[in-house]
Amino acid sequence: MRPRRLRTRGAVAALAGTLLALSAGQTAVAAQATAADPVPRTAVTVSAAQDQAARAIARSLTDSTWRARVQRAALTSDEVPVTALAAREAGPLKATLAAADRRITAAKGLDATAGSLLRLRLGADTMRAALRSETTPWVAAATSDDDTRTLVAYDSRGRSHTLDAHDTPARPVYVVDIDGSAALAAGLDVLSDRLNRYGLRSTAPDEQPRVGRAAGARTAGGGFWTSRITAVELSDDEEPWAKGDAEIYTLVTGFGQDGAVRVDPVDMPYLDNDGTVYRPNQILVNWSNYKYDLADAVMMEEDGSTNYRDLAKAIATALLTITDQGTYIPLVNAVLDAIPDDWWTDDPDYVDSWYTLARSDTGTRYGARGNGWMTVEPYFVQEL
């Protein structure tokens, strides 16, 4: 479902240059954000760990008892926690998978509380009948690249086989991937925490909206105004059969009550498939957090290789140089330009963006890229 990438750096450089102003205190924090090591090749590390796990699982399928256990699990669950499944097995498999899990967690900037992220699933529903036969499945690592033409799968003898990424094979193939929902939930907590450390106010996605101090956001009766998504849809796009569901999140940006830029991550775990209208009634913007009645939204996709500590660092570096000029300044381009060029191979994917969402907006707003739309409405949250 991941829409094709579109990078438009510098298109508004002249305008942006007139809007950016440096303040001494914020610049010092921004310098702290940039002082760390260069962005690591997270995608390479994650892919290598998944490939290592795929090889090990493929070789382990020579054991008929273990092979039957994996088959049952794959037929009854969309995603099998394969590290946990292998924990009771003898031999080197459990150690190999545990090591791969640790590498993935570290590469994504997460801590041990994220738990095991490795998952195994059947490549496509059309393979279910073949899986029930005596055919030993091959095992492939999931790809994070929409444009890939081939995949490498391994058989139980350790041999590699090249598969067409867009032509689903008849032979059953297990795909080794990560739990995108768990990774994203843990990652957004890290992102929010790191942004707060760098001086950008940010509300964790699992926190309930709090009543703000702004007279325009809070009423005498107690409560606050929000913008709620009543419907949302993303566009169709062809991608490899080995990819799983999308993991979508949105970065809502604007100026907080103190006049400083703030970023609020919003997890959107229901947005799995393209061409499907979802009706989540989800709060997107809590206006009590913002000084102006305008905010921006940048929708992204977690493709398995995002390092959330580095993402926070990059965003903070760009946004901490922007100061309140007494009028609203759109922040979408600053967020997009903050992400290093080498991250735009496929991860994190830029899905779409919405400029100047207003508290009074009612109805359908189309994204700037044309990859999606959402219907919003003002929604008042009553204080208990």
Side-chain angles (χ1 to χ4, degrees), residues 6 17 44-45 52 54 61 83 91 99 137 172 242 245 257 270 284 300 341:
L6 177 64
V44 175
T45 302
Q52 177 190 27
L61 296 179
T83 303
D245 289 336
Q257 299 295 338
Y270 50 87
L284 179 67
M300 309 288 287
D341 286 331

Side-chain angles (χ1 to χ4, degrees), residues 243-306:
K243 270 196 167 183
D245 289 336
E247 302 297 340
I248 301 294
Y249 62 100
T250 295
L251 302 177
V252 178
T253 64
F255 290 89
Q257 299 295 338
D258 58 359
V261 174
R262 67 176 292 130
V263 180
D264 292 311
V266 178
D267 193 0
M268 309 178 86
Y270 50 87
L271 265 175
D272 289 336
N273 300 305
D274 56 1
T276 301
V277 177
Y278 295 91
R279 304 184 185 278
N281 288 325
Q282 180 185 28
I283 291 175
L284 179 67
V285 186
N286 172 9
W287 292 107
S288 69
N289 289 330
Y290 293 89
K291 177 179 179 180
Y292 300 104
D293 284 350
L294 294 172
D296 294 336
V298 180
M299 187 179 287
M300 309 288 287
E301 184 194 2
E302 147 72 48
D303 253 334
S305 309
T306 310

Side-chain angles (χ1 to χ4, degrees), residues 58-82:
R59 290 181 180 275
S60 74
L61 296 179
T62 56
D63 184 324
S64 59
T65 302
W66 164 246
R67 185 170 66 247
R69 284 189 63 201
V70 176
Q71 180 195 77
R72 286 193 299 271
L75 288 172
T76 56
S77 176
D78 290 336
E79 290 190 337
V80 178
V82 66

